[in-house]
Amino acid sequence: MSPRIKRIGLMTSGGDSPGMNAAIRAVTRACAYYHVECFGFKRGFQGMIENDYLELNARSVRNIIQLGGTILQSARSKEFLTEEGRAKAAANIKKLGIDAMILIGGDGTFRGGQALFREHGIPVLGVPGTIDNDIFGTQYTIGYDTALNTVVQAIDKIRDTASSHNRLFFVEVMGRDAGFIALNSGIGAGAEEILIPEENLGLDRLLNSLEKSRRSGKTSSIVVVSEGDKIGKNVFELADYVKENLPYYDAKVTVLGHIQRGGSPTCFDRVLASRMCVKAVELLLDGEHNVMVGMMNNRIEACDLDKALKDKPTINKELLRISDILST
Amino acid sequence: MSPRIKRIGLMTSGGDSPGMNAAIRAVTRACAYYHVECFGFKRGFQGMIENDYLELNARSVRNIIQLGGTILQSARSKEFLTEEGRAKAAANIKKLGIDAMILIGGDGTFRGGQALFREHGIPVLGVPGTIDNDIFGTQYTIGYDTALNTVVQAIDKIRDTASSHNRLFFVEVMGRDAGFIALNSGIGAGAEEILIPEENLGLDRLLNSLEKSRRSGKTSSIVVVSEGDKIGKNVFELADYVKENLPYYDAKVTVLGHIQRGGSPTCFDRVLASRMCVKAVELLLDGEHNVMVGMMNNRIEACDLDKALKDKPTINKELLRISDILST
Amino acid sequence: MSPRIKRIGLMTSGGDSPGMNAAIRAVTRACAYYHVECFGFKRGFQGMIENDYLELNARSVRNIIQLGGTILQSARSKEFLTEEGRAKAAANIKKLGIDAMILIGGDGTFRGGQALFREHGIPVLGVPGTIDNDIFGTQYTIGYDTALNTVVQAIDKIRDTASSHNRLFFVEVMGRDAGFIALNSGIGAGAEEILIPEENLGLDRLLNSLEKSRRSGKTSSIVVVSEGDKIGKNVFELADYVKENLPYYDAKVTVLGHIQRGGSPTCFDRVLASRMCVKAVELLLDGEHNVMVGMMNNRIEACDLDKALKDKPTINKELLRISDILST
Amino acid sequence: MSPRIKRIGLMTSGGDSPGMNAAIRAVTRACAYYHVECFGFKRGFQGMIENDYLELNARSVRNIIQLGGTILQSARSKEFLTEEGRAKAAANIKKLGIDAMILIGGDGTFRGGQALFREHGIPVLGVPGTIDNDIFGTQYTIGYDTALNTVVQAIDKIRDTASSHNRLFFVEVMGRDAGFIALNSGIGAGAEEILIPEENLGLDRLLNSLEKSRRSGKTSSIVVVSEGDKIGKNVFELADYVKENLPYYDAKVTVLGHIQRGGSPTCFDRVLASRMCVKAVELLLDGEHNVMVGMMNNRIEACDLDKALKDKPTINKELLRISDILST
């Protein structure tokens, strides 16, 4: 154990995700266990700039493991994008005697952390917390599993009404740049088609698939569309396009929106956050920094932060093939 | 018990609502109990026109009490709006020897039933099944309580992210002509403001209320908007209007949409459907018809169908006052 | 409005129930609205004795409407059962300048309140918060609707496995003296039989009903048993008795237990708590006391506390008849 | 693709688990996609003996992906444990022209499959479906993730009441021989202590831990106990032991029981079942048999059935250490 780490700072940043509170709890409790002080900054980098923080002890985080959102709140700080903003943040951290910062968030958060280290020598460690699952170096990000279940439960409700009315539903889910949510929730929800940013399967394919499924006796269908799908139409235009070309379909649209960010985290996300954050504290105590913790093949491992930021994880295209087979 | 009723027809029509399957089960089981045959028409009036029906016995409805949607499906039949359509439907009913029809749905459904009786002498009985709660003669319609819980649970998730980000959310809920869902879910979700079709409180009031709540230290807020609110702006325009006038607010919009129609019914809706439908069968056996069953003050009572259709229930404006107090 | 009420005390006592936090929020916000100070005692009467309280303002109760349990905690205080204990509690209340106490709980709580008034002249007002629904003067208690849904959702899961295995399940639910939970959740869950404390239908009837249902083709069944059922056997003995007498049944037992007390309150319970507690504060301001607020026929009304305690509400036996019909 | 496979048989056996219907759907749809006939036997091996089966086509499995339980039902067949029983089952399979059997269940199911192959040359393929996660050759079994979430959600409710009353709760979860459910749900639920069959940490440790946690200011605690824990006391005896030795604790017991087997499967279990079962059909078509499909490191792989049965998966003892740190 490195003798130098006496005080660890902690923050959540970027879009909030379910499990961030479980992560805050795990960092705080691991700090208490190892007799390290723990300071939680409010509203991400903005709280560092404004020196807005809480001293956290083991009891401060009781009964939060099950809560969505983040008790430290989150924000996207414009001021931190300036050199002056970062200098202010760094000065506050140093003044507080904080030896290292744990940053819970996505790649924007991690880039901010890199700048803090590069410009001001502050050791940082990243914990991937985002519903989008779009971070290289981990097979799961905190919040992703919960978001999948939120989506699937919402589509289960939509399916009730879709099959009662023989309707076609286009459901837009989150994922501007990555189709993880769409692809996995689409299979989980038994969707007819799944449209993702990584793959433009074309409008013809969509029409053919819907026609074929109708001929095969299906009377209702769900199409899951990632908000950033590559097909060049938004979900409302897609529905209109289908209604024009396949007039027997009564196509409706639902945009799931921000319900996908909230909710009590699943067991998976709570355990993931717990394991990642104990490891995060232990890595810092072992003298590591500028790494991100990730889950690879059921193990929590450190991944170089630069490497995590250089690459993007790829979706498993095998799942598209499986979706095809299952919508027979 | 009237000796004449040997065969009862049953259908669900209009927008589907959670609890319709519990209602189908209760009609079917009550028929079995009283040794009456039960025929279920598919897709509402359309199934009557197409003579598309199922013979239902006590075992046909096992394990459906908990399912959203309707196993008989629902539809809005254009053909039934014509005299020829209704004649076809009536002819099929008579050919099948059906003595009376139980119609589960909203006022469109009941108007269709009135026409069937007036033009063809078919005795009908209405059961109020709609999430909107907008039927005179009953304090609760089947599906309304479930829809309220779906909305409140969705807003709970949105609140997680709203309070993590200090945001203002406009959430559009169903209710084109009636503010029941908005008003009750708004109180249940702890909304700052509730906008309903019955009352135009004006945009100034909204701005004042939001400003006041910000001054009082609130950092996030939810505004629940009925899709048919009277304020003359849709939910996106409202958000834009607020952003323009109160630029410190980061206002976001979520349209809950069709998830409000589906889902497993609450205990309340299951018991309501069960009680109403046993009563429906017993009323027919007692020689009643052209009535609707309703729940008034915890009792199931018959209400003249013409009367139910002539009036609209009024919302409890006291609830607006309570919402005001609670958003202090 | 009475000019004398400047400070209101508040507590939750007895078994906790979902919606108590919504009630605490509503009392606090209504006090803020009417410029009355609000003091919340911890752990019911025990906190009054120990002078353990919080000053509550409108912001203290943010984001709690959706939480189960009670932020003021609850307890059963032995010391308060003694004259000395009550004298201590009363002295603390008077020293704090509290003009009246709002007591959220069941009849034990209200009896304690009566003693406070009788012995020490402290005006009290009761709010019925208990999952058991066993309070005279209100058709619904806070928490009852949530408990019903918790039970029904649990039995839905049990039914999945019951029907996969052709099993008979005995499910014990709460309600030592009152069958409200068993009766309504039993109908909502589609139970074969419902055993409640108010009615001893006898073991023969149970065996007959199970035999009949098996002959009618049912392959799985749920029997809901109130923990205080009158049949003289506990749920395990019942299961054994049935296995002995109807050996073809593979009977299993589940005791739902304390999950019935917790969970996020339903919309119904949140609105009920909100309406009751605004009314509670307004009644005190109007000079009323020694009453309980209750919901009768969708209206919130005051009921004399002595009257509420003298009687017990009766279950609707009509529901037993309906359960019988529906398990055909 | 092997030209010989024209007809595949399918069954679910042993304790049912959520996701079995998603698995049945995936096998059926994959068969339809590859133009293979699919026969589903009812009630596991018993249906094979009684020749009780359904012909399944792509439409037979619509709208079942979200349902708990198994539409094919499950059973433990005593007759199949005899040579005669197995001979009858094998004869029926051969008479139906079934080329291979897909068996969804746990190790009892797979042992039955081995016998069918060894004694009668019927090619079998196993799909791990059990909530216990106790199958070697796969990191996840179908139903395990759902069971974890059911447990965690139940404990969330119990925690509401535990922290409202400063109570200690012992919660018994399933897992007679394996602590997977207890260990992961215990971390997910923020349990104070977790008792599992794989590790006897001793009663002293439990008392010490509870005493320490009380001194550290914790006022309520949850202890998760696997039904087969090694400590030599059942959950009621444990609670009594603690009450005797730490009399300041008001210890209560909840046995979660059969609710853990049911419920709508999580997204994870639906995707897992879908991927495993498409692979299962493809493996058979490729000429493989006597293997089990498993998920190892996010990939679906075949594992020799004999090997899967010879070993038991080991729990990750690192999680016990993490639980310890988190209950600081």
Side-chain angles (χ1 to χ4, degrees), chain C residues 56 84 123 171 219 249 290:
Chain C
L56 297 170
E84 296 73 33
V171 181
T219 53
Y249 268 117
N290 290 21

Side-chain angles (χ1 to χ4, degrees), chain D residues 113-325:
Chain D
Q114 279 184 314
L116 268 186
F117 178 72
R118 202 176 46 236
E119 298 172 9
H120 303 283
I122 293 174
V124 298
L125 185 148
V127 176
T130 162
I131 62 167
D132 291 330
N133 208 40
D134 60 346
I135 307 287
F136 188 84
T138 190
Q139 286 161 343
Y140 288 96
T141 57
I142 298 168
Y144 169 59
D145 184 65
T146 305
L148 287 181
N149 281 291
T150 300
V151 170
V152 160
Q153 285 164 21
I155 300 182
D156 282 353
K157 293 198 210 307
I158 291 170
R159 192 196 298 107
D160 283 343
T161 192
S163 46
S164 294
H165 283 276
N166 293 338
R167 271 178 186 157
L168 171 65
F169 266 93
F170 287 84
V171 181
E172 187 192 280
V173 302
M174 285 191 167
R176 207 170 296 279
D177 306 307
F180 289 99
I181 291 179
L183 192 50
N184 279 274
S185 72
I187 290 180
E192 185 60 31
E193 282 289 324
I194 304 170
L195 306 181
I196 55 174
E198 288 87 349
E199 191 97 353
N200 182 353
L201 297 170
L203 288 164
D204 283 353
R205 186 195 134 92
L206 177 64
L207 295 185
N208 287 341
S209 161
L210 290 173
E211 257 196 296
K212 199 186 107 200
S213 88
R214 183 169 165 95
R215 277 199 309 271
S216 83
K218 280 198 195 176
T219 53
S220 66
S221 288
I222 306 282
V223 178
V224 172
V225 185
S226 202
E227 53 181 345
D229 90 286
K230 239 192 191 155
I231 219 159
K233 293 190 182 296
N234 74 27
V235 71
F236 294 98
E237 294 163 347
L238 269 176
D240 287 343
Y241 182 84
V242 166
K243 274 192 273 196
E244 233 166 81
N245 286 276
L246 307 176
Y248 43 79
Y249 268 117
D250 179 17
K252 301 270 176 186
V253 171
T254 294
V255 176
L256 290 184
H258 278 81
I259 61 166
Q260 296 167 82
R261 291 214 171 277
S264 182
T266 57
C267 186
F268 188 96
D269 275 329
R270 300 184 194 188
V271 173
L272 181 67
S274 298
R275 291 174 68 187
M276 280 182 168
C277 289
V278 167
K279 183 76 171 186
V281 171
E282 292 179 342
L283 283 169
L284 288 177
L285 294 179
D286 285 346
E288 289 269 8
H289 58 77
N290 289 23
V291 294
M292 184 194 81
V293 288
M295 184 159 93
M296 298 303 289
N297 301 336
N298 279 351
R299 299 165 49 93
I300 307 299
E301 292 174 359
C303 163
D304 195 78
L305 201 51
D306 298 329
K307 206 176 142 195
L309 284 166
K310 217 174 286 166
D311 256 315
K312 274 287 163 193
T314 49
I315 59 153
N316 182 354
K317 293 208 176 164
E318 170 73 4
L319 291 180
L320 281 176
R321 200 179 68 83
I322 284 174
S323 167
D324 244 29
I325 293 173

Side-chain angles (χ1 to χ4, degrees), chain B residues 296-313:
Chain B
M296 299 302 290
N297 300 338
N298 280 351
R299 297 166 49 93
I300 308 298
E301 292 175 358
C303 163
D304 194 79
L305 201 52
D306 298 329
K307 206 177 143 195
L309 283 166
K310 217 176 284 167
D311 256 313
K312 274 285 164 195

Side-chain angles (χ1 to χ4, degrees), chain B residues 15 17-18 21 53 96 102 114 132 188 205 211 241 253 269 284:
Chain B
S17 74
N21 280 325
Y53 65 90
L96 286 168
I102 292 179
Q114 280 184 314
D132 291 331
R205 186 195 135 92
E211 257 195 297
Y241 182 84
V253 171
D269 275 329
L284 288 177

